Amino acid sequence: DQQVKQNSPSLSVQEGRISILNCDYTNSMFDYFLWYKKYPAEGPTFLISISSIKDKNEDGRFTVFLNKSAKHLSLHIVPSQPGDSAVYFCAASALVTGGGNKLTFGTGTQLKVEL
Amino acid sequence: KAGVTQTPRYLIKTRGQQVTLSCSPISGHRSVSWYQQTPGQGLQFLFEYFSETQRNKGNFPGRFSGRQFSNSRSEMNVSTLELGDSALYLCASSLTGGGLGYTFGSGTRLTVV
């Protein structure tokens, strides 16, 4: 049961243009959504998050949009740079009965920014 | 401050063997979570330890186990290795657990032959 889905395994964008990465979820109990970036041979690094009570959060070139009614979020990168080439994971956080939160990840989208 | 340290970085084991992976969290972090990453499957949650107790568990067979020590360092063990256990194993630490504030280690790449 894939509760967090990233339907595009790869995306190619030209340098300077906008990159849009999409993510869909099914669990209404998720209270936070996060994006992580991962380079080969490294662990994922946190990029940006959004609370379920917001619909937009911006941090420099990165903006995350949340559409709760559609259970959809997207990450916009403007302008895209070659150093942005990496795998991007969407993740959703929910409280669990054992205490604390649990992160559920999507399968990732490989972004390639071309010169 | 030092990040999350995972050892070893790479490991090759034979089917049927067992393996132990280690994770040292950021100083002061009491929660350690483990994830398995395989191509096409994303990051699958294995378990979380908080103050030496397993607090949450994912949907993995009992061959996968873990523990946490009083200094918050954690180990995970996989017994009777199968070819399908070949993956990148990541640990993440946080102050109070889960979700926000996760810092990941670089992972241990396990290959089962």
Side-chain angles (χ1 to χ4, degrees), chain A residues 27-78:
Chain A
N27 188 346
S28 301
M29 300 305 291
F30 289 137
D31 56 358
Y32 261 94
F33 301 90
L34 306 91
W35 286 92
Y36 283 81
K37 177 178 175 180
K38 187 180 183 300
Y39 293 116
E42 294 182 15
T45 54
F46 170 75
L47 201 54
I48 191 169
S49 66
I50 187 168
S51 163
S52 60
I53 62 172
K54 305 270 190 185
D55 55 20
K56 178 182 173 182
N57 187 26
E58 203 169 343
D59 183 2
R61 296 185 299 113
F62 303 91
T63 303
V64 57
F65 295 93
L66 175 62
N67 182 333
K68 282 188 70 176
S69 60
K71 293 191 172 68
H72 177 84
L73 65 153
S74 60
L75 173 68
H76 293 211
I77 306 173
V78 184

Side-chain angles (χ1 to χ4, degrees), chain A residues 2 32-34 36 38 41-46 49 87 89 93 96-108, chain B residues 9-10 35 37 40-45 48 55-58 88 90 96-107:
Chain A
Q2 193 72 28
Y32 261 94
F33 301 90
L34 306 91
Y36 283 81
K38 187 180 183 300
E42 294 182 15
T45 54
F46 170 75
S49 66
V87 177
F89 289 99
S93 175
V96 288
T97 51
N101 297 65
K102 177 185 146 185
L103 272 190
T104 302
F105 284 82
T107 52
Chain B
R9 287 297 307 273
Y10 302 93
Y35 286 82
Q37 185 192 0
Q41 292 294 314
L43 278 72
Q44 303 287 315
F45 174 72
E48 183 214 1
R55 188 160 66 169
N56 293 297
K57 191 175 190 302
L88 179 67
L90 293 157
T96 55
L100 307 179
Y102 258 15
T103 300
F104 279 89
S106 297

